[in-house]
Amino acid sequence: MRRQAATFVWRAALAAALVCGIGLLPWLTRTDPALTVLKARSADRDPTPEVLADIRAQLGLGDGPLRLLGQWLGGLWRGDAGRSWISGDEVTPAVLQALGASLLLMAVALVVAVVTAGLVCARTLRLGAHRRLDGRRTAGSGSAVLAALPEFLTASVLATVVGVQLGWLPALGWYGPQWTVLPALALGLPAGAVIGRLLDDLLPGAFAEPWALAAAARGLPGRSIARQAVRRCLPGLLPNLGLFVVGLTGGSVAVEQIFDIPGLGRTTLQAALAQDLPVLQAGTLLLILLAAAAAGLAALATRRLAGPALRDGALSSLHRPQPPTRGIPTFVHGGLLILVIALGLPRDPLALDTTRRLQPPSWTQPFGTDALGRDMLARVAHGALDTLLLALAIGIVALVAGALLGLVARVSGPLVDTVNAVPPVLAALLVTSVAGSGAATPALAVGVVAWAPLAAHTSALLRQERAALHVTATRGLGAGRWYLLRRELLPAVLPPVTRHALLRLPGIALALASLAFLGLGAQPPSPEWGLLLAENQPYAERAPWAVLAPAAVLALLGALAVSAAGGIRRARPRTSATLAERPSLTRELVETG
């Protein structure tokens, strides 16, 4: 009970710090909120001193930020989140309506993600149910390519092709269930590919457990065994699934912009850009509450699925030593990526030739040209250096931070939920307010939130690994915490978390690309991949190669990440002797304990 109370206080303190920090946003950025509000209300009106003074009086800016924040917090107890600084309307009904749209979109996108994850794992489930895995890895590159497709690019293609050209489904607006299909596909397909990859990584260990062998020996149907294998793996995935739920709600800003959906992510972004503090604070608070509810439900479902075995330390380990996969796909994907970069680096990415605008691919220009006649191969290759190196650096930092914080779940759990509730766009604005704008701002914004899924994955796997039978037996022989962490827990947990970090590498590049797409990342004439997609997206129908070139390289990066992740496996022990057969090891356990 005391631990739960401490966790609640820690979670509440983090939420209060975030909301209060947002309330101080204009003063942290040293900007005049009256001027920002005036531009949002009427861009053509001159910012005369009289006009600005009138706005300050209307909003009560002269009272200072602390008084404004206190008034807003005081109204929350009555369900009153104030009035919008831009429209003057009440904030609570507008934000709740936006939340309803986002929750509906999230629910449909989650169904798409679950179906996609099932398709990704279908082959492993079929082989495992019929006892034909035989240690073979079934990981492929198709799911990695799907996960590496930018959500805003998928949304643009679906809106243009399916919605406009074919006319099968409505592309713009939010008027009924039909309007949810295309944006849900754009959000759910990449998320489902990542979830499917994580589940596919755990399934072979579940099918190798004694219960699966006994069930097959008793003649149980393969479908029942496969269903129980999925249930066995879910406790290790539910924390990340909860993070996906919140991410699909508040992090779908680009998709909501493209499909003109009045969701919470878009509402929060518009409020942040206009410094409409009451709307921004209310939207962020709702996202934090949603994150806390998702984390609580995930924890409850984990305890129900794992049952008494989690409490009694009677689980089997899903992370058994396995040989690494063959490195041929890694060399193929890496070789193709290096070839593209090597061919494009000698070319000039900034050379303009307006006579060759939007030229199709040719022998002299294999990727064609963009709207200004610039060589797309040159721009993709030069942008690769910045995008790949930056994404790799952020990925390494996120892996280290996530693994370390995952070891202290009581501290990191509420922190993960709070950080995950902040969309990357809002994180970019907050980082800009503290560190200022610059080339490092997108990297800092993505790095602030990139570690959270890895920390949640680490803590979930540790929780199950601590309940494994061999850990319980080793602890019974006198092993201390440090010995268990160094010899049993970390060797089992770090390989899957590292594979997860590699799977997240294209996602980090996509987050940087999303910020550039929304105008918060790299600026022209930089050849950064996200900016390339943003610049050429309006010409996707006329010159699809201008968009497909950076998208194809991003997909190739995803395939490379998955194939490289297959080589990270827990090494087999040098001997298969048990602890009882090795008195010297038993003495070492007692001494180190």
Side-chain angles (χ1 to χ4, degrees), residues 16 140 171 204 271 430 433 523 573:
L430 294 175
S433 67
Q523 300 299 317

Side-chain angles (χ1 to χ4, degrees), residues 516-589:
F517 179 81
L518 295 170
L520 298 175
Q523 300 299 317
S526 169
E528 197 272 334
W529 288 352
L531 189 58
L532 294 184
L533 291 167
E535 290 176 340
N536 295 294
Q537 189 268 337
Y539 310 100
E541 185 176 357
R542 177 183 173 187
W545 54 85
V547 175
L548 290 177
V553 180
L554 268 173
L556 183 60
L557 174 62
L560 175 62
V562 167
S563 57
I568 301 176
R569 299 289 167 189
R570 184 179 182 181
R572 292 185 179 274
R574 297 180 180 179
T575 177
S576 59
T578 62
L579 289 175
E581 297 169 344
R582 296 183 61 187
S584 60
L585 181 55
T586 305
R587 287 195 299 270
E588 180 186 354
L589 287 173

Side-chain angles (χ1 to χ4, degrees), residues 194-285:
V194 175
I195 295 174
R197 291 296 317 162
L198 296 178
L199 178 58
D200 189 81
D201 191 48
L202 294 175
L203 282 173
F207 281 119
E209 288 185 334
W211 68 264
L213 300 175
R218 288 180 59 86
L220 290 182
R223 287 179 298 178
S224 299
I225 298 175
R227 185 168 57 250
Q228 292 301 322
V230 172
R231 175 173 178 169
R232 173 67 180 90
C233 298
L234 279 180
L237 295 179
L238 283 175
N240 268 281
L241 189 60
L243 298 185
F244 273 109
V245 168
V246 181
L248 291 175
T249 305
S252 56
V253 180
V255 174
E256 291 179 355
Q257 288 278 78
I258 292 172
F259 288 101
D260 194 24
I261 299 174
L264 190 58
R266 184 185 179 194
T267 300
T268 305
L269 172 63
Q270 293 175 345
L273 295 176
Q275 292 190 356
D276 192 352
L277 295 188
V279 177
L280 180 58
Q281 289 171 316
T284 305
L285 183 60

Side-chain angles (χ1 to χ4, degrees), residues 83-248:
R83 290 184 174 273
S84 170
W85 286 2
I86 307 301
S87 64
D89 298 332
E90 292 186 5
V91 171
T92 303
V95 172
L96 290 179
Q97 184 177 3
L99 176 63
S102 291
L103 289 178
L104 177 59
L105 176 59
M106 177 268 291
V108 182
L110 196 59
V111 172
V112 174
V114 171
V115 173
T116 304
L119 294 176
V120 171
C121 301
R123 184 167 181 265
T124 302
L125 289 171
R126 184 175 66 254
L127 293 177
H130 294 88
R131 314 303 305 167
R132 293 205 302 264
L133 272 177
D134 297 329
R136 290 178 292 176
R137 303 300 304 171
T138 58
S141 301
S143 59
V145 173
L146 186 61
L149 288 178
E151 294 173 353
F152 56 85
L153 177 60
T154 307
S156 299
V157 172
L158 290 175
T160 302
V161 177
V162 180
V164 177
Q165 293 183 349
L166 299 178
W168 291 348
L169 290 168
L172 297 176
W174 190 256
Y175 305 104
Q178 290 181 332
W179 278 261
T180 65
V181 177
L182 294 182
L185 287 173
L187 289 171
L189 289 176
V194 175
I195 295 174
R197 291 296 317 162
L198 296 178
L199 178 58
D200 189 81
D201 191 48
L202 294 175
L203 282 173
F207 281 119
E209 288 185 334
W211 68 264
L213 300 175
R218 288 180 59 86
L220 290 182
R223 287 179 298 178
S224 299
I225 298 175
R227 185 168 57 250
Q228 292 301 322
V230 172
R231 175 173 178 169
R232 173 67 180 90
C233 298
L234 279 180
L237 295 179
L238 283 175
N240 268 281
L241 189 60
L243 298 185
F244 273 109
V245 168
V246 181
L248 291 175

